[in-house]
Amino acid sequence: MTSALRAYARTAVIPDHTVWGAAAGLVGGVGMGIWMSVSRPVMDTAMITMVAGLLGTTNAFAGWLIHLSIALFAGVRFGALLGPFARSPLPAAVLGLVYGAAWWTFGALWIMSANMGMPVFDWNEFSASSLGAHLVFGLLAGLTFATIARATAGRAVVRPENETRTARYASHPGRR
């Protein structure tokens, strides 16, 4: 008894909300990164170089790379978790602000502060400036997400598996 193994090429489908979230995260990340590049809350040090300190350097370019990587991740998570609720501007803005505040609480006040040897969950010049930066991120990410969602609303995406199925049924008119 022999059996045949058939392999079919399939396209991985990434949900639209995560793709929109990735783009929104990068837009929010650029806005937040600009804030962090000009804000100098501690010893006249730009916040973006403090982010670079997570890898033991003070290079601003490294800080931008780290920051945009985190923003991309945060944007994907925003799209995956909150995307269905953030399809119009007002809910997206509110959810973005809340999401930015959550990232500030866990990212800046806890994780980054602990890694930098700073007091955890402490209100100081760094945490105050960081709150503003995270709110900018959330607001821009939320509004960008809603803009993309509205711009792509109603557009059907033809997936390869649907195209094959449609062609197969079209070749047999008796099937429906």
Side-chain angles (χ1 to χ4, degrees), residues 24-110:
L26 289 176
V27 170
V30 168
M32 180 180 177
I34 292 169
W35 177 299
M36 292 173 28
S37 293
V38 299
S39 179
R40 301 177 185 284
V42 179
M43 298 178 296
D44 201 34
T45 303
M47 288 173 63
I48 201 74
T49 58
M50 294 173 76
V51 172
L54 291 171
L55 291 182
T57 183
T58 58
N59 184 315
F61 183 73
W64 268 97
L65 289 178
I66 295 164
H67 168 67
L68 288 177
S69 298
I70 295 168
L72 179 67
F73 174 78
V76 168
R77 298 302 303 159
F78 178 84
L81 297 172
L82 302 173
F85 310 106
R87 297 183 66 101
S88 60
L90 184 60
V94 171
L95 288 171
L97 288 170
V98 170
Y99 191 69
W103 270 98
W104 171 71
T105 302
F106 296 109
L109 291 183
W110 181 27

